């Protein structure tokens, strides 16, 4: 496949095209340049070429459910509209049986994964979080538990007095099989200070995933972009993930998350542009040469832009989800979930091949 290098493509972009084609790694300076360029089509074509080499025309999705045991949280991150204080209107903490009752109302045949995240509720012991997983695992032993962010794992070490490894081992005994990618935000201590991210710092986020990989878990990782961070911050974030992946090979997918405003009534000037979203997906694909998949998360960028993103380096469209809450507690205007039929339609409409997968990217069914 030949990437377009037109008379309007400047020398710097042409050099990057050659580096990617020759298998040379992109640098911090390369990544920042790609954010600054207005040559969106060459960038997109280059990312598309890189993705096709890795994954062909296959695009992956999973039948899953998002579950939230509690929204009570000690952290007060500036971007979060999901958290509540104990006793505040709308706050909740569900028991294992209450969650099972909820799942029984909404689950359908084919669900393969529970995606579980929530607040850092310091009013319950660590055993509550262990028992929550065990209740689900005992009731639905064939559904993979992808649970908790690295920030939640770090929080569990503080309320339990256990090490990261000990916390993960206890959760594995209860049925944990993979970690979610959340809690990364932007891997910059300066950013975290500005955005009042008082949960796990950069070092702890990376150490949780490093430890999980050492214990044999494959995990996910994210980047929340579109607030106060610089382009350099975003690329440094990717480089830190790339470095850990070189060490452990434990990340399955990178998930750029487009920041949502705190109100559904927020105007377009308070939201990331489609241009910025597509750039970020494409740049992620080019910078993270050692991670197999980059996800286009329709919850944050919408189904139509997700289709376009499949020509900008994305090879995954997440899953059915069934009632996402965190982005929709803020200003997300997108559907809170899609059906299998809708995901297949979405992928086929972009000229790609839908592949239903499990949590670990084992192929369940290919929809030619």
């Amino acid at each position: 496949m030949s990437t377009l290098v037109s008379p309007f493509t400047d020398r710097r972009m042409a050099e990057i095209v050659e580096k990617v084609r020759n298998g040379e790694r992109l640098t911090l300076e390369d990544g920042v340049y790609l954010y600054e360029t207005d040559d969106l089509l060459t960038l997109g074509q280059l990312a598309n070429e890189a993705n096709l080499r890795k994954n062909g025309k296959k695009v992956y999705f999973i039948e899953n459910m998002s579950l939230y045991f509690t929204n009570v949280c000690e952290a007060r991150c500036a971007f979060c509209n999901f958290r509540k204080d104990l006793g505040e209107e709308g706050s909740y903490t569900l028991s294992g049986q209450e969650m099972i009752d909820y799942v029984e109302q909404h689950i359908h045949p084919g669900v393969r994964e529970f995606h579980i995240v929530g607040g850092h509720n310091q009013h319950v012991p660590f055993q509550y979080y262990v028992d929550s997983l065990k209740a689900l695992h005992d009731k639905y032993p064939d559904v993979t538990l992808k649970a908790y962010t690295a920030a939640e794992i770090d929080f569990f070490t503080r309320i339990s007095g256990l090490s990261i490894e000990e916390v993960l081992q206890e959760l594995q005994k209860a049925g944990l099989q993979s970690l979610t990618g959340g809690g990364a935000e932007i891997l910059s201590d300066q950013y975290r200070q500005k955005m009042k991210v008082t949960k796990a710092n950069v070092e702890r986020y990376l150490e949780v995933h490093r430890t999980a990989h050492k214990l044999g878990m494959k995990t996910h990782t994210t980047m929340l972009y579109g607030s106060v961070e610089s382009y350099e911050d975003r690329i440094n974030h990717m480089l830190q993930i790339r470095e850990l992946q070189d060490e452990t090979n434990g990340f399955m997918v990178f998930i750029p998350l487009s920041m949502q405003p705190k109100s559904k009534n927020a105007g377009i000037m308070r939201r990331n542009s489609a241009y910025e979203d597509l750039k970020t997906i494409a740049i992620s694909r080019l910078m993270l040469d050692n991670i197999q998949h980059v996800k286009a998360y329709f919850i944050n960028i919408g189904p139509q832009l997700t289709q376009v993103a499949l020509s900008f380096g994305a090879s995954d469209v997440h899953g059915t989800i069934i009632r996402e809450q965190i982005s929709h507690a803020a200003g997300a205007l997108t559907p809170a979930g899609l059906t299998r039929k809708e995901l297949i339609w979405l992928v086929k409409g972009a000229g790609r091949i839908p592949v239903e997968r499990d949590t670990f990217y084992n192929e369940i069914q290919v929809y030619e």
Side-chain angles (χ1 to χ4, degrees), residues 1 47-58 352:
M1 181 177 181
N48 185 51
E49 184 178 311
N51 176 53
L52 289 174
R53 281 198 301 269
K54 281 186 175 293
N55 300 298
K57 288 196 168 185
K58 289 182 174 180
R352 301 295 162 117

Side-chain angles (χ1 to χ4, degrees), residues 171-314:
L171 294 171
Q172 283 181 305
K173 291 175 189 175
L176 178 68
Q177 292 176 266
S178 180
L179 296 182
T180 71
E185 325 314 356
I186 294 290
L187 294 175
S188 156
D189 288 328
Q190 184 180 25
Y191 166 93
R192 295 169 106 72
Q193 185 175 9
K194 284 181 182 177
M195 295 299 286
K196 301 178 182 177
V197 183
T198 54
K199 53 193 178 183
N201 63 19
V202 173
E203 181 182 354
R204 292 289 280 183
Y205 179 89
L206 295 171
E207 187 57 31
V208 167
H209 281 279
R210 178 181 288 109
T211 305
H213 298 165
K214 185 178 76 171
L215 292 173
M217 275 194 273
K218 296 289 188 179
T219 68
H220 309 68
T221 188
T222 63
M223 178 180 75
L224 182 65
Y225 65 93
S227 57
V228 301
E229 81 281 356
S230 65
Y231 291 154
E232 186 171 300
D233 288 334
R234 294 182 194 177
I235 300 301
N236 270 323
H237 178 110
M238 296 178 199
L239 291 176
Q240 289 177 85
I241 296 298
R242 190 172 78 182
E243 182 178 354
L244 181 55
Q245 181 73 344
D246 279 343
E247 178 187 334
T248 66
N249 194 36
F251 291 121
M252 296 180 287
V253 59
F254 181 75
I255 311 159
L257 298 174
S258 186
M259 177 78 79
Q260 301 299 299
K262 280 200 169 185
S263 169
K264 287 180 168 57
N265 297 321
I268 63 171
M269 293 175 64
R270 299 295 300 277
R271 299 175 183 274
N272 286 324
S273 68
Y275 192 83
E276 191 81 356
D277 290 332
L278 288 176
K279 268 193 172 186
T280 299
I281 287 168
I283 292 167
S284 299
R285 177 63 286 159
L286 295 172
M287 297 299 301
L288 295 167
D289 51 43
N290 56 358
I291 294 181
Q292 189 71 23
H293 298 286
V294 171
K295 183 176 293 186
Y297 189 48
F298 72 82
I299 288 292
N300 286 12
I301 66 174
Q304 287 84 358
L305 193 60
T306 293
Q307 279 189 311
V308 179
L310 300 183
S311 294
F312 278 72

Side-chain angles (χ1 to χ4, degrees), residues 88-107:
E88 182 180 351
E89 184 178 356
S91 66
Y92 65 86
T93 301
L94 302 182
S95 68
Q97 186 57 53
E98 287 172 325
M99 181 58 79
I100 287 169
D101 292 343
Y102 170 83
V103 171
E104 287 182 336
Q105 292 174 26
H106 300 288
I107 198 170

